[in-house]
Short mmCIF file of all heavy atoms in Angstrom, two decimals:
data_model
loop_
_atom_site.label_atom_id
_atom_site.label_comp_id
_atom_site.label_asym_id
_atom_site.label_seq_id
_atom_site.Cartn_x
_atom_site.Cartn_y
_atom_site.Cartn_z
N ALA A 1 11.72 -47.15 -34.77
CA ALA A 1 10.95 -46.64 -33.63
C ALA A 1 10.25 -47.78 -32.89
O ALA A 1 10.23 -47.80 -31.65
CB ALA A 1 9.92 -45.61 -34.11
N ASP A 2 9.70 -48.73 -33.64
CA ASP A 2 9.06 -49.89 -33.02
C ASP A 2 10.09 -50.72 -32.26
O ASP A 2 9.84 -51.19 -31.14
CB ASP A 2 8.38 -50.77 -34.07
CG ASP A 2 7.15 -50.10 -34.68
OD1 ASP A 2 6.55 -49.25 -34.02
OD2 ASP A 2 6.82 -50.45 -35.84
N ALA A 3 11.25 -50.94 -32.88
CA ALA A 3 12.29 -51.74 -32.24
C ALA A 3 12.78 -51.06 -30.96
O ALA A 3 13.05 -51.73 -29.95
CB ALA A 3 13.45 -51.96 -33.20
N ALA A 4 12.90 -49.73 -30.98
CA ALA A 4 13.33 -49.01 -29.78
C ALA A 4 12.29 -49.12 -28.67
O ALA A 4 12.64 -49.30 -27.49
CB ALA A 4 13.57 -47.54 -30.13
N GLU A 5 11.02 -49.04 -29.03
CA GLU A 5 9.95 -49.19 -28.03
C GLU A 5 9.96 -50.61 -27.46
O GLU A 5 9.77 -50.81 -26.25
CB GLU A 5 8.60 -48.88 -28.66
CG GLU A 5 7.45 -48.89 -27.65
CD GLU A 5 6.10 -48.60 -28.29
OE1 GLU A 5 6.02 -48.59 -29.54
OE2 GLU A 5 5.13 -48.41 -27.54
N LEU A 6 10.20 -51.59 -28.34
CA LEU A 6 10.28 -52.98 -27.88
C LEU A 6 11.45 -53.16 -26.93
O LEU A 6 11.32 -53.82 -25.88
CB LEU A 6 10.43 -53.91 -29.09
CG LEU A 6 10.63 -55.39 -28.78
CD1 LEU A 6 9.41 -55.97 -28.07
CD2 LEU A 6 10.90 -56.17 -30.07
N ALA A 7 12.61 -52.60 -27.25
CA ALA A 7 13.78 -52.71 -26.39
C ALA A 7 13.50 -52.11 -25.01
O ALA A 7 13.86 -52.70 -23.98
CB ALA A 7 14.99 -52.03 -27.04
N LYS A 8 12.86 -50.96 -24.99
CA LYS A 8 12.52 -50.32 -23.72
C LYS A 8 11.59 -51.21 -22.89
O LYS A 8 11.78 -51.38 -21.67
CB LYS A 8 11.88 -48.97 -23.98
CG LYS A 8 11.51 -48.19 -22.72
CD LYS A 8 10.88 -46.85 -23.07
CE LYS A 8 10.47 -46.09 -21.81
NZ LYS A 8 9.83 -44.78 -22.16
N ALA A 9 10.58 -51.80 -23.55
CA ALA A 9 9.64 -52.67 -22.84
C ALA A 9 10.34 -53.91 -22.29
O ALA A 9 10.11 -54.32 -21.15
CB ALA A 9 8.50 -53.07 -23.76
N MET A 10 11.23 -54.50 -23.10
CA MET A 10 11.93 -55.71 -22.66
C MET A 10 12.90 -55.40 -21.53
O MET A 10 13.13 -56.23 -20.65
CB MET A 10 12.64 -56.37 -23.84
CG MET A 10 11.73 -56.98 -24.89
SD MET A 10 10.52 -58.15 -24.20
CE MET A 10 11.63 -59.38 -23.49
N HIS A 11 13.49 -54.21 -21.53
CA HIS A 11 14.33 -53.81 -20.40
C HIS A 11 13.50 -53.73 -19.12
O HIS A 11 13.97 -54.11 -18.04
CB HIS A 11 15.00 -52.46 -20.68
CG HIS A 11 16.10 -52.54 -21.69
ND1 HIS A 11 16.80 -51.44 -22.11
CD2 HIS A 11 16.62 -53.60 -22.36
CE1 HIS A 11 17.71 -51.81 -23.01
NE2 HIS A 11 17.61 -53.11 -23.18
N GLY A 12 12.26 -53.24 -19.26
CA GLY A 12 11.38 -53.19 -18.09
C GLY A 12 11.02 -54.57 -17.57
O GLY A 12 10.88 -54.77 -16.36
N VAL A 13 10.89 -55.54 -18.49
CA VAL A 13 10.67 -56.93 -18.06
C VAL A 13 11.91 -57.47 -17.37
O VAL A 13 11.83 -58.10 -16.31
CB VAL A 13 10.30 -57.81 -19.28
CG1 VAL A 13 10.21 -59.27 -18.87
CG2 VAL A 13 8.99 -57.35 -19.90
N ALA A 14 13.08 -57.19 -17.96
CA ALA A 14 14.33 -57.70 -17.40
C ALA A 14 14.69 -57.07 -16.07
O ALA A 14 15.49 -57.62 -15.30
CB ALA A 14 15.46 -57.50 -18.40
N ASP A 15 14.11 -55.90 -15.77
CA ASP A 15 14.28 -55.32 -14.44
C ASP A 15 13.60 -56.16 -13.37
O ASP A 15 13.95 -56.09 -12.18
CB ASP A 15 13.69 -53.90 -14.40
CG ASP A 15 14.53 -52.89 -15.16
OD1 ASP A 15 15.73 -53.15 -15.38
OD2 ASP A 15 13.97 -51.84 -15.55
N GLN A 16 12.60 -56.96 -13.77
CA GLN A 16 11.82 -57.76 -12.84
C GLN A 16 12.29 -59.21 -12.75
O GLN A 16 12.20 -59.83 -11.69
CB GLN A 16 10.34 -57.77 -13.27
CG GLN A 16 9.71 -56.40 -13.41
CD GLN A 16 8.31 -56.50 -13.97
OE1 GLN A 16 7.44 -57.13 -13.38
NE2 GLN A 16 8.08 -55.88 -15.12
N ILE A 17 12.78 -59.76 -13.87
CA ILE A 17 13.10 -61.18 -13.93
C ILE A 17 14.06 -61.42 -15.09
O ILE A 17 14.04 -60.67 -16.09
CB ILE A 17 11.81 -62.03 -14.11
CG1 ILE A 17 12.11 -63.52 -13.96
CG2 ILE A 17 11.11 -61.71 -15.43
CD1 ILE A 17 10.83 -64.39 -13.91
N GLN A 18 14.89 -62.43 -14.97
CA GLN A 18 15.82 -62.79 -16.04
C GLN A 18 15.04 -63.13 -17.31
O GLN A 18 14.07 -63.87 -17.28
CB GLN A 18 16.66 -64.00 -15.63
CG GLN A 18 17.55 -64.56 -16.73
CD GLN A 18 18.76 -63.69 -16.99
OE1 GLN A 18 19.48 -63.32 -16.07
NE2 GLN A 18 18.99 -63.35 -18.25
N VAL A 19 15.49 -62.58 -18.43
CA VAL A 19 14.91 -62.87 -19.74
C VAL A 19 15.93 -63.63 -20.57
O VAL A 19 17.09 -63.22 -20.66
CB VAL A 19 14.50 -61.58 -20.48
CG1 VAL A 19 14.00 -61.91 -21.90
CG2 VAL A 19 13.42 -60.83 -19.71
N VAL A 20 15.50 -64.73 -21.18
CA VAL A 20 16.36 -65.46 -22.11
C VAL A 20 15.72 -65.38 -23.48
O VAL A 20 14.53 -65.63 -23.65
CB VAL A 20 16.60 -66.92 -21.67
CG1 VAL A 20 15.29 -67.69 -21.51
CG2 VAL A 20 17.51 -67.64 -22.66
N LEU A 21 16.51 -64.98 -24.47
CA LEU A 21 16.01 -64.68 -25.80
C LEU A 21 16.75 -65.51 -26.84
O LEU A 21 17.83 -65.14 -27.28
CB LEU A 21 16.18 -63.18 -26.08
CG LEU A 21 15.82 -62.64 -27.46
CD1 LEU A 21 14.36 -62.90 -27.77
CD2 LEU A 21 16.12 -61.15 -27.55
N PRO A 22 16.20 -66.67 -27.24
CA PRO A 22 16.77 -67.39 -28.39
C PRO A 22 16.42 -66.59 -29.65
O PRO A 22 15.26 -66.50 -30.02
CB PRO A 22 16.06 -68.75 -28.36
CG PRO A 22 15.38 -68.82 -27.03
CD PRO A 22 15.06 -67.40 -26.67
N LEU A 23 17.43 -66.01 -30.26
CA LEU A 23 17.16 -64.98 -31.26
C LEU A 23 17.23 -65.53 -32.67
O LEU A 23 18.27 -66.01 -33.13
CB LEU A 23 18.13 -63.82 -31.10
CG LEU A 23 17.78 -62.56 -31.89
CD1 LEU A 23 16.38 -62.08 -31.51
CD2 LEU A 23 18.79 -61.47 -31.62
N HIS A 24 16.11 -65.45 -33.35
CA HIS A 24 15.97 -65.75 -34.77
C HIS A 24 16.92 -64.81 -35.53
O HIS A 24 17.07 -63.65 -35.17
CB HIS A 24 14.50 -65.46 -35.15
CG HIS A 24 14.09 -65.94 -36.49
ND1 HIS A 24 14.57 -65.40 -37.66
CD2 HIS A 24 13.19 -66.89 -36.86
CE1 HIS A 24 13.99 -66.00 -38.70
NE2 HIS A 24 13.16 -66.91 -38.24
N PRO A 25 17.56 -65.31 -36.60
CA PRO A 25 18.46 -64.42 -37.36
C PRO A 25 17.77 -63.15 -37.84
O PRO A 25 18.38 -62.08 -37.90
CB PRO A 25 18.87 -65.29 -38.55
CG PRO A 25 18.77 -66.69 -38.06
CD PRO A 25 17.61 -66.70 -37.12
N ARG A 26 16.45 -63.28 -38.15
CA ARG A 26 15.72 -62.11 -38.62
C ARG A 26 15.58 -61.08 -37.49
O ARG A 26 15.15 -61.38 -36.40
CB ARG A 26 14.33 -62.52 -39.09
CG ARG A 26 13.64 -61.42 -39.83
CD ARG A 26 12.19 -61.69 -40.12
NE ARG A 26 11.72 -60.73 -41.09
CZ ARG A 26 11.56 -59.44 -40.84
NH1 ARG A 26 11.81 -58.96 -39.64
NH2 ARG A 26 11.15 -58.61 -41.79
N GLY A 27 16.00 -59.88 -37.74
CA GLY A 27 15.82 -58.81 -36.76
C GLY A 27 16.96 -58.62 -35.80
O GLY A 27 16.96 -57.65 -35.03
N ARG A 28 17.96 -59.50 -35.82
CA ARG A 28 19.06 -59.39 -34.85
C ARG A 28 19.75 -58.02 -34.95
O ARG A 28 20.00 -57.37 -33.94
CB ARG A 28 20.07 -60.51 -35.08
CG ARG A 28 21.25 -60.47 -34.11
CD ARG A 28 22.26 -61.55 -34.45
NE ARG A 28 21.76 -62.86 -34.10
CZ ARG A 28 22.00 -63.49 -32.95
NH1 ARG A 28 22.72 -62.88 -32.02
NH2 ARG A 28 21.53 -64.69 -32.72
N GLN A 29 20.04 -57.61 -36.19
CA GLN A 29 20.75 -56.35 -36.38
C GLN A 29 19.91 -55.17 -35.88
O GLN A 29 20.43 -54.27 -35.20
CB GLN A 29 21.07 -56.17 -37.87
CG GLN A 29 22.43 -55.57 -38.12
CD GLN A 29 22.80 -55.61 -39.60
OE1 GLN A 29 22.05 -56.05 -40.45
NE2 GLN A 29 23.99 -55.14 -39.89
N ARG A 30 18.62 -55.19 -36.20
CA ARG A 30 17.76 -54.08 -35.81
C ARG A 30 17.60 -54.00 -34.29
O ARG A 30 17.58 -52.91 -33.71
CB ARG A 30 16.40 -54.22 -36.49
CG ARG A 30 16.45 -54.02 -38.00
CD ARG A 30 15.07 -54.09 -38.61
NE ARG A 30 15.10 -53.88 -40.06
CZ ARG A 30 15.14 -54.85 -40.94
NH1 ARG A 30 15.17 -56.10 -40.54
NH2 ARG A 30 15.17 -54.58 -42.23
N LEU A 31 17.47 -55.16 -33.64
CA LEU A 31 17.32 -55.17 -32.19
C LEU A 31 18.61 -54.72 -31.51
O LEU A 31 18.59 -54.07 -30.47
CB LEU A 31 16.89 -56.55 -31.71
CG LEU A 31 15.46 -56.95 -32.07
CD1 LEU A 31 15.18 -58.39 -31.66
CD2 LEU A 31 14.45 -56.01 -31.41
N ALA A 32 19.74 -55.10 -32.11
CA ALA A 32 21.01 -54.63 -31.57
C ALA A 32 21.11 -53.11 -31.69
O ALA A 32 21.52 -52.42 -30.74
CB ALA A 32 22.17 -55.30 -32.31
N ALA A 33 20.72 -52.59 -32.85
CA ALA A 33 20.77 -51.14 -33.06
C ALA A 33 19.82 -50.41 -32.12
O ALA A 33 20.08 -49.26 -31.73
CB ALA A 33 20.43 -50.82 -34.52
N ALA A 34 18.73 -51.09 -31.75
CA ALA A 34 17.75 -50.47 -30.85
C ALA A 34 18.19 -50.50 -29.40
O ALA A 34 17.54 -49.93 -28.53
CB ALA A 34 16.40 -51.18 -30.99
N GLY A 35 19.32 -51.17 -29.11
CA GLY A 35 19.86 -51.18 -27.76
C GLY A 35 19.27 -52.24 -26.85
O GLY A 35 19.32 -52.11 -25.62
N LEU A 36 18.72 -53.31 -27.43
CA LEU A 36 18.08 -54.34 -26.61
C LEU A 36 19.08 -55.11 -25.76
O LEU A 36 18.81 -55.44 -24.61
CB LEU A 36 17.31 -55.31 -27.51
CG LEU A 36 16.67 -56.52 -26.81
CD1 LEU A 36 15.55 -56.08 -25.87
CD2 LEU A 36 16.15 -57.53 -27.83
N PHE A 37 20.25 -55.41 -26.30
CA PHE A 37 21.11 -56.42 -25.72
C PHE A 37 21.90 -56.03 -24.47
O PHE A 37 22.18 -56.90 -23.64
CB PHE A 37 22.09 -56.94 -26.78
CG PHE A 37 21.43 -57.49 -28.00
CD1 PHE A 37 22.07 -57.47 -29.23
CD2 PHE A 37 20.15 -58.04 -27.95
CE1 PHE A 37 21.47 -57.97 -30.37
CE2 PHE A 37 19.53 -58.55 -29.08
CZ PHE A 37 20.19 -58.51 -30.30
N PRO A 38 22.31 -54.77 -24.27
CA PRO A 38 23.23 -54.50 -23.16
C PRO A 38 22.67 -54.73 -21.75
O PRO A 38 23.43 -54.81 -20.80
CB PRO A 38 23.58 -53.02 -23.35
CG PRO A 38 23.29 -52.72 -24.78
CD PRO A 38 22.13 -53.59 -25.13
N HIS A 39 21.36 -54.85 -21.59
CA HIS A 39 20.78 -55.00 -20.26
C HIS A 39 21.28 -56.31 -19.61
O HIS A 39 21.23 -57.37 -20.23
CB HIS A 39 19.26 -55.03 -20.35
CG HIS A 39 18.58 -54.85 -19.03
ND1 HIS A 39 18.60 -55.83 -18.05
CD2 HIS A 39 17.85 -53.81 -18.52
CE1 HIS A 39 17.91 -55.41 -17.00
NE2 HIS A 39 17.45 -54.19 -17.26
N PRO A 40 21.77 -56.25 -18.38
CA PRO A 40 22.32 -57.46 -17.73
C PRO A 40 21.27 -58.54 -17.49
O PRO A 40 21.62 -59.71 -17.30
CB PRO A 40 22.88 -56.93 -16.41
CG PRO A 40 22.15 -55.64 -16.15
CD PRO A 40 21.88 -55.06 -17.51
N GLY A 41 20.00 -58.17 -17.50
CA GLY A 41 18.96 -59.15 -17.26
C GLY A 41 18.46 -59.84 -18.52
O GLY A 41 17.53 -60.66 -18.45
N ILE A 42 19.05 -59.50 -19.68
CA ILE A 42 18.65 -60.13 -20.95
C ILE A 42 19.78 -61.01 -21.45
O ILE A 42 20.90 -60.53 -21.66
CB ILE A 42 18.28 -59.07 -22.00
CG1 ILE A 42 17.03 -58.31 -21.57
CG2 ILE A 42 18.06 -59.72 -23.37
CD1 ILE A 42 16.60 -57.22 -22.53
N ARG A 43 19.49 -62.28 -21.59
CA ARG A 43 20.49 -63.24 -22.08
C ARG A 43 20.09 -63.68 -23.49
O ARG A 43 19.07 -64.33 -23.69
CB ARG A 43 20.52 -64.45 -21.13
CG ARG A 43 21.38 -65.59 -21.60
CD ARG A 43 22.85 -65.34 -21.32
NE ARG A 43 23.66 -66.41 -21.88
CZ ARG A 43 23.83 -67.60 -21.31
NH1 ARG A 43 23.24 -67.87 -20.15
NH2 ARG A 43 24.59 -68.51 -21.88
N VAL A 44 20.88 -63.28 -24.48
CA VAL A 44 20.62 -63.64 -25.87
C VAL A 44 21.38 -64.91 -26.19
O VAL A 44 22.58 -65.02 -25.94
CB VAL A 44 21.04 -62.51 -26.82
CG1 VAL A 44 20.83 -62.92 -28.27
CG2 VAL A 44 20.26 -61.24 -26.51
#
């Protein structure tokens, strides 16, 4: 639930400006499951 809320918030940021996310191995799977990555404004 926290990861999903985070993904929604980051999508709102990416709607305003390009986001680049150097992703620590920890949490990658959970953030992917939360739907963070598909937004075109988020570059992992």
Side-chain angles (χ1 to χ4, degrees):
D2 291 334
E5 186 181 10
L6 176 63
K8 181 180 178 181
M10 292 306 299
H11 287 178
V13 174
D15 288 339
Q16 304 175 60
I17 189 171
Q18 174 74 51
V19 175
V20 57
L21 175 60
L23 192 57
H24 191 292
R26 191 189 193 291
R28 180 184 288 266
Q29 218 171 2
R30 292 183 179 95
L31 290 174
L36 175 67
F37 303 152
H39 194 289
I42 294 179
R43 173 79 185 281
V44 178

